[in-house]
Amino acid sequence: YFKKRIELGGPNDPWSKEAMGQLRALSVNSPETQHWLRWYETDALEREVNVLAKELKEEEEKAFLEDFAKAEKYVQQGKTYEENEMYEQALAEYDKALAINSGSPRILECRRLALAKLKAAEVKKLTDSALEKIKSGDMSSSKEDFRQILAIIPGE
């Protein structure tokens, strides 16, 4: 009777708990009942672990999706900055996105492209400046601009 009451009520039912106490008292002289109690408690714990594991997985998935959405906002803002040729601000937004989702190849590629555009813009600006200085006859200042260009170009 006590076993049936425990099985029907579940581990949190107050009458099942009462029946469990009665069964424990009776199990002192019954190895079979002691074995059944251990099995039941183990089974109940396994079910509870499975429920908690499922809840944990759902929470982790929810957190992942929230982080993904937050990182995506930074990426979109970075792209907007790129469209307006504000490459330093775009890099800052991509860095924020990478702080959340560091392993994203897509974000890394966006950052790499923005950095390349920033370097190209700096080279163009220095080149234009150097050419203007050459036209005005200021060769020494133009040399400095060309040195700065070589410092920007990788491997130079």
Side-chain angles (χ1 to χ4, degrees):
Y1 168 78
F2 290 128
K3 288 179 187 178
K4 193 66 160 175
R5 180 66 191 105
I6 292 167
E7 288 174 349
L8 291 174
N12 295 323
D13 179 56
W15 290 106
S16 292
K17 290 179 182 180
E18 177 68 28
M20 190 73 110
Q22 293 292 333
L23 198 56
R24 276 196 184 93
L26 292 173
S27 73
V28 172
N29 298 326
S30 172
E32 180 185 326
T33 304
Q34 289 175 354
H35 177 72
W36 185 88
L37 281 169
R38 280 193 299 274
W39 167 83
Y40 178 79
E41 290 171 338
T42 301
D43 186 58
L45 286 173
E46 284 178 8
R47 281 184 270 136
E48 189 175 344
V49 165
N50 289 337
V51 167
L52 291 174
K54 182 180 177 185
E55 289 174 2
L56 178 62
K57 184 177 180 182
E58 289 171 358
E59 286 296 319
E60 287 174 342
E61 288 174 359
K62 180 181 173 185
F64 173 78
L65 291 175
E66 288 172 357
D67 285 349
F68 183 82
K70 191 186 296 184
E72 189 59 29
K73 285 181 184 178
Y74 290 128
V75 169
Q76 292 308 316
Q77 184 62 45
K79 288 183 178 192
T80 301
Y81 282 135
E82 272 190 77
E83 290 170 3
N84 295 314
E85 297 180 2
M86 301 168 70
Y87 303 118
E88 289 177 1
Q89 291 87 342
L91 287 171
E93 294 299 312
Y94 293 138
D95 287 341
K96 290 176 189 175
L98 285 169
I100 295 169
N101 190 357
S102 62
S104 171
R106 182 169 110 6
I107 299 172
L108 289 168
E109 182 63 11
C110 288
R111 187 186 189 292
R112 186 190 67 75
L113 292 173
L115 184 59
K117 289 176 184 177
L118 174 65
K119 287 181 179 182
E122 289 175 357
V123 167
K124 182 176 179 350
K125 179 180 167 187
L126 287 167
T127 302
D128 291 345
S129 172
L131 292 175
E132 284 298 317
K133 289 174 183 174
I134 289 172
K135 286 180 186 176
S136 70
D138 187 3
M139 295 297 195
S140 63
S141 293
S142 67
K143 285 181 186 179
E144 183 56 36
D145 287 344
F146 284 116
R147 282 190 188 104
Q148 288 178 14
I149 290 170
L150 293 175
I152 293 171
I153 299 171
E156 295 297 324

